[in-house]
Amino acid sequence: MALASLLYLPEQDRTTTCEYRDLPEAVLLPGCVPLRGADLIEPVQDRANPAYPLMVDLGRQYLLADGFIVNTFDGMEHDAISAFQELSGKGVYPPVYPVGPITRQRSDEDAQHGCLRWLDGHAAGSVLYVCFGSGGALSVEQTLELAAGLEASMQRFLWVVCFPSDKDCSAGYLGSPADNHGDGPLSYLPEGFVDMTSGWGLAVPLWAPQVEILNHPAVGGFLSHCGWNSTLESAAAGRRRADGGLVAVRGAEDERCDAAGEDRDGAAAQGREDDGVVPREEVAAVVKELMTGEKGETARLKAREMRHAVAVALAPDGPARSRRALEAVASKWKSRYGTGE
């Protein structure tokens, strides 16, 4: 979807004059669900922004490419891939080569992390994994509401806690937020939270081995920011997943755009229009629905199907497009540049 939105941007720029957030009709991208104009990436939301013409020009340059190698697979984005292939055959867009899912592999070193030993002590499918990525930052208020919601849900959880920031929602990409005063991220949790939830919850500062966690039998759900790496890793592990409604709070526009294309059969909290903060009551409701509700059970079954789709995509002799796409790229390079022998 992110690629489709960029390729369509020059046409969008040519045929509209208002700000995209004010578009009266949905944005229709090939093979994707309809989008509100406000769901498009932040740099294109203001035509007066110096970044806007650069993005439009980037879209024009992308149209000149020989093709796109994309880390996705047929089971995840069948409609979008099919639409791209049809448009490529008509000469509208360059071809797309879906070679995924390519994810980080499990390692013996990461398997020794203490949080995995903690998971060993819990029943299969009973723990919710909570992680909103390493790049962005929740606000201080949202961090407090998330903690209170997890506590109120009474569901087992493993939460990777990053530094909050009220100044820069992308603080994680730039290092530790400047306003942390040298404290660890757990110091921003409500007083007594760690002790109060110690029997059924674990808060891990800054980082944990996500692939190993998602593949641990004790993990039954994933409260996520819907970043693409997390999306692919949870699909490969067959874990049901919910968007906590905190994506917009984090300001991760690419992840918000990707998340908008998913079939959300789990649960999703809705941010507030005024300050964007998802209250504790809604966090608790999302967590309980994902882990014990009907929608959560539907999401579990769909996650199992997605895990099978991943296996099919990665099978050496399988019918999926991923291997054939990679072979097509290799063949194209060989015909143009030779074998290098």
Side-chain angles (χ1 to χ4, degrees):
M1 179 177 286
L3 176 61
S5 66
L6 184 58
L7 292 175
Y8 186 67
L9 185 57
E11 178 68 10
Q12 186 98 349
D13 174 70
R14 186 184 67 82
T15 57
T16 62
T17 57
C18 66
E19 298 294 357
Y20 295 141
R21 61 179 172 272
D22 298 324
L23 286 172
E25 304 293 337
V27 178
L28 302 178
L29 302 175
C32 301
V33 297
L35 287 176
R36 300 176 306 159
D39 287 326
L40 297 176
I41 59 175
E42 186 63 30
V44 306
Q45 292 296 337
D46 181 3
R47 291 175 183 261
N49 187 332
Y52 177 77
L54 297 178
M55 295 297 297
V56 175
D57 185 63
L58 183 61
R60 294 193 184 102
Q61 295 298 319
Y62 267 43
L63 289 170
L64 302 177
D66 289 329
F68 303 101
I69 300 174
V70 184
N71 187 14
T72 189
F73 61 103
D74 192 76
M76 179 70 74
E77 296 186 284
H78 174 80
D79 291 345
I81 292 170
S82 297
F84 260 86
Q85 288 189 331
E86 180 179 347
L87 291 170
S88 173
K90 297 177 180 179
V92 178
Y93 287 161
V96 64
Y97 302 97
V99 300
I102 300 172
T103 61
R104 185 182 69 81
Q105 299 301 301
R106 284 180 275 184
S107 74
D108 293 338
E109 180 180 356
D110 289 339
Q112 304 306 312
H113 196 281
C115 69
L116 296 169
R117 292 193 294 274
W118 182 84
L119 286 172
D120 289 339
H122 294 276
S126 66
V127 178
L128 174 71
Y129 173 52
V130 183
C131 182
F132 295 98
S134 57
L138 300 176
S139 67
V140 172
E141 182 180 1
Q142 184 63 84
T143 299
L144 294 173
E145 290 298 304
L146 177 57
L150 289 173
E151 182 176 351
S153 75
M154 297 301 292
Q155 301 298 310
R156 293 180 176 87
F157 67 86
L158 192 166
W159 178 14
V160 179
V161 184
C162 295
F163 282 110
S165 177
D166 290 333
K167 297 178 181 178
D168 186 354
C169 61
S170 299
Y173 290 109
L174 308 173
S176 298
D179 52 355
N180 64 53
H181 308 298
D183 298 324
L186 300 189
S187 66
Y188 290 86
L189 300 178
E191 185 176 357
F193 173 81
V194 173
D195 292 335
M196 183 74 68
T197 60
S198 61
W200 43 276
L202 179 66
V204 180
L206 298 178
W207 181 88
Q210 179 160 293
V211 172
E212 286 76 10
I213 290 171
L214 288 171
N215 283 278
H216 194 286
V219 173
F222 184 13
L223 188 61
S224 168
H225 64 312
C226 293
W228 197 238
N229 285 337
S230 293
T231 297
L232 294 177
E233 288 166 359
S234 62
R239 297 297 179 235
R240 52 189 165 181
R241 186 164 48 88
D243 165 15
L246 309 178
V247 179
V249 179
R250 292 182 65 255
E253 306 299 336
D254 56 331
E255 291 157 359
R256 179 174 63 182
C257 191
D258 287 330
E262 289 191 71
D263 180 11
R264 292 180 183 172
D265 286 296
Q270 300 298 318
R272 294 295 175 261
E273 293 296 330
D274 49 1
D275 58 8
V277 174
V278 179
R280 61 191 66 188
E281 295 84 5
E282 208 155 324
V283 172
V286 166
V287 170
K288 285 191 279 191
E289 181 62 40
L290 180 66
M291 298 301 289
T292 64
E294 292 183 7
K295 289 184 178 179
E297 178 61 19
T298 300
R300 185 183 68 82
L301 296 176
K302 287 215 166 189
R304 182 182 298 173
E305 294 174 1
M306 188 61 67
R307 181 174 59 185
H308 175 71
V310 169
V312 170
L314 296 178
D317 300 315
R321 295 171 175 168
S322 295
R323 183 179 179 85
R324 285 183 283 143
L326 191 56
E327 290 173 346
V329 173
S331 177
K332 194 169 187 177
W333 283 341
K334 285 181 179 179
S335 65
R336 177 172 298 186
Y337 304 111
T339 61
E341 296 178 353

